[in-house]
Amino acid sequence: RRATTTGSDSKKDPICVIVVGMAGSGKTTLMAQLQKSLNLRDEGDDNAAANNNNSNAIESSQSKRAGYAINLDPAAKYIPFSSSIDIRDTVDYIEVMRQHKLGPNGAILTCLNLFATKFDQVMAILERRAFPLENGGGENDDGGDKKSDGGPAKEEDEAKSKTDETQQQQQSHVDDNNTKALDDADDTTTPNTTTTTTTSNNSPLDYILIDTPGQIEAFTWSASGTIVTSALATTFPTVLAFVVDTPRCAASVHTFMSNMLYACSMLYRAKLPMVIVLNKIDIVGCEFVKEWMEDYDSFQEALDDASSANGYSDEMAGGGSGYYASLTRSLSLVLDEFYNHLHKVGVSAATGEGVEEFWTVVEQAAEDYEEGYLVDLKNRVEEQRMKERAMQRVGARKLVRDLQEDGQL
């Protein structure tokens, strides 16, 4: 992660966490709990700094975490967290259904496609918010030039700051009632930039949290999802948080296998570090899932137990020697290598249990981004540049040959 340094302070790029998962797995509730944990951390640090005038208090205040939440679910009627950018402020889901005569899933996909056409504006907002120093904001007052008294310069800076705030407020204006405005005018489709309670206007960001639609395929397998993911991953360290419904996995080993196959396909498509978030551990513990992912024989025993407990035949059950049994065992063997590159954490979106461990695992996954995705991205960029240079050389040789044939050389 790139370090942004100002004076003696060093700040790393914010980590972008894209929360994905099957419908009903608890993605939105987890988003609310993650945002709440950032608020509680800020309040605890502020109290510590106020009560202790020593180095420990200073270190505590420097360890604050600031988050920025984005909602990409256009069909959500209510979200339990405060979103800084909300797709519903830009696109009217019901109006899209009515105008384009679409069903629920088609309308969600269309809303995402419309929003993706303006995602460059979202990235501009995130970059201004994530890197305030690089964009002319948040300068140190005591570190400036002291050749003069600083009065006019200070007034000029304040005027510039007020102008920037006014422009940002104007840019955040959206049309909530007319989706046609997306295609007719850029000004009315600028995403809402209302600041969440977890951030202040001058504090650098630590995390960017993104909630995705419950219909996971509408985001992960669409062109708009690819655009959003690629734009974020090329700018910030980005991590996929795949939320798994742990109680449902406990009820059926085949549900667990289905979740892991979907997670594997998402990892293959996005090529981003992934954190498997085993949600709802307040209902069922997640240790058995971790054991299945770490011990191949343990999962095979679970398959045998499931087949014997349900009394299925060999062809129908996970155990035995039928085709379905053979397929399940083969897939589990293939996924055994896949599990080695995953980060796992158990959380409860309802109670907040495991959230602190989640942030620790996300930091570890961000390091994998540096070693994996970022290196691959640089190689692809360099490869593209080499192709462009090769095409230029071919074009130059062709031009010289044509000029020679015409007798101009």
Side-chain angles (χ1 to χ4, degrees):
R1 297 166 59 190
R2 181 186 63 178
T4 304
T5 305
T6 303
S8 60
D9 296 333
S10 178
K11 190 67 179 177
K12 293 182 178 180
D13 287 357
I15 301 176
C16 181
V17 181
I18 303 177
V19 182
V20 295
M22 298 295 186
S25 59
K27 298 185 297 296
T28 303
T29 307
L30 177 63
M31 281 282 296
Q33 193 62 244
L34 295 176
Q35 190 179 71
K36 181 181 178 181
S37 71
L38 297 178
N39 281 332
L40 293 177
R41 177 66 175 269
D42 285 349
E43 293 173 1
D45 289 339
D46 290 339
N47 293 334
N51 297 329
N52 301 283
N53 296 323
N54 52 34
S55 59
N56 292 334
I58 295 176
E59 292 176 359
S60 178
S61 62
Q62 291 177 345
S63 65
K64 289 182 180 180
R65 298 177 302 188
Y68 199 84
I70 300 176
N71 175 45
L72 294 183
D73 189 353
K77 202 165 187 179
Y78 165 78
I79 55 175
F81 60 91
S82 176
S83 60
S84 302
I85 299 176
D86 198 325
I87 189 175
R88 299 175 302 171
D89 294 332
T90 304
V91 188
D92 190 331
Y93 168 73
I94 301 299
E95 189 67 15
V96 168
M97 291 181 65
R98 186 186 66 80
Q99 289 188 11
H100 299 281
K101 297 179 175 60
L102 298 172
N105 291 336
I108 291 175
L109 186 59
T110 302
C111 290
L112 287 170
N113 290 338
L114 291 172
F115 191 75
T117 63
K118 303 297 178 184
F119 203 72
D120 59 326
Q121 299 177 22
V122 176
M123 293 304 301
I125 294 169
L126 292 177
E127 289 176 2
R128 287 199 305 269
R129 186 63 187 82
F131 314 121
L133 298 180
E134 297 180 8
N135 291 279
E139 293 86 349
N140 293 334
D141 293 335
D142 55 353
D145 188 272
K146 296 184 179 180
K147 292 182 180 180
S148 62
D149 293 338
K154 184 176 181 180
E155 293 176 359
E156 183 179 353
D157 292 341
E158 292 177 353
K160 182 180 178 181
S161 177
K162 291 180 180 179
T163 302
D164 292 341
E165 291 179 0
T166 302
Q167 292 176 351
Q168 186 174 0
Q169 291 174 359
Q170 292 175 351
Q171 187 179 9
S172 67
H173 177 70
V174 295
D175 187 352
D176 293 333
N177 301 319
N178 192 354
T179 58
K180 288 185 178 180
L182 270 165
D183 301 320
D184 297 338
D186 290 341
D187 293 340
T188 58
T189 58
T190 301
N192 186 8
T193 59
T194 305
T195 305
T196 64
T197 57
T198 59
T199 62
S200 61
N201 290 333
N202 294 324
S203 61
L205 292 178
D206 294 296
Y207 301 102
I208 299 173
L209 306 174
I210 299 179
D211 189 23
T212 58
Q215 288 76 2
I216 183 174
E217 64 280 354
F219 179 81
T220 57
W221 297 105
S222 64
S224 55
T226 302
I227 292 172
V228 170
T229 303
S230 299
L232 292 168
T234 54
T235 307
F236 307 103
T238 305
V239 175
L240 292 176
F242 188 86
V243 184
V244 176
D245 191 335
T246 308
R248 294 195 63 185
C249 292
S252 171
V253 292
H254 309 306
T255 300
F256 165 78
M257 178 63 69
S258 300
N259 273 274
M260 293 301 102
L261 287 173
Y262 212 112
C264 182
S265 66
M266 290 187 61
L267 181 67
Y268 182 78
R269 181 177 176 84
K271 299 180 177 65
L272 289 171
M274 178 175 288
V275 176
I276 300 297
V277 184
L278 304 172
N279 193 20
K280 305 181 183 180
I281 61 173
D282 55 312
I283 301 175
V284 176
C286 64
E287 295 305 321
F288 72 97
V289 176
K290 292 182 178 179
E291 185 178 358
W292 289 351
M293 298 174 69
E294 296 170 358
D295 187 355
Y296 173 79
D297 294 332
S298 175
F299 182 72
Q300 300 307 309
E301 293 176 2
L303 283 174
D304 295 337
D305 293 341
S307 62
S308 61
N310 294 325
Y312 292 150
S313 63
D314 290 348
E315 290 76 12
M316 296 175 60
S321 58
Y323 170 77
Y324 186 72
S326 177
L327 175 63
T328 304
R329 296 180 186 277
S330 298
L331 288 175
S332 63
L333 183 60
V334 171
L335 291 176
D336 190 56
E337 179 65 23
F338 165 67
Y339 297 148
N340 295 330
H341 300 280
L342 291 180
H343 300 271
K344 305 173 286 293
V345 60
V347 302
S348 171
T351 64
E353 181 182 356
V355 170
E356 287 301 321
E357 184 181 356
F358 170 83
W359 293 123
T360 302
V361 173
V362 165
E363 291 285 346
Q364 297 172 357
E367 297 298 330
D368 292 345
Y369 166 90
E370 292 284 348
E371 300 172 359
Y373 182 87
L374 196 58
V375 173
D376 179 66
L377 177 63
K378 291 179 179 179
N379 292 336
R380 282 183 286 163
V381 170
E382 183 61 28
E383 181 180 354
Q384 183 63 28
R385 289 177 179 173
M386 293 177 63
K387 289 182 179 179
E388 292 176 355
R389 287 196 291 266
M391 293 178 63
Q392 291 174 357
R393 289 193 295 269
V394 171
R397 287 195 295 267
K398 183 178 179 181
L399 177 61
V400 171
R401 185 172 61 252
D402 292 343
L403 291 175
Q404 289 176 343
E405 292 175 356
D406 295 340
Q408 299 181 17
L409 286 179

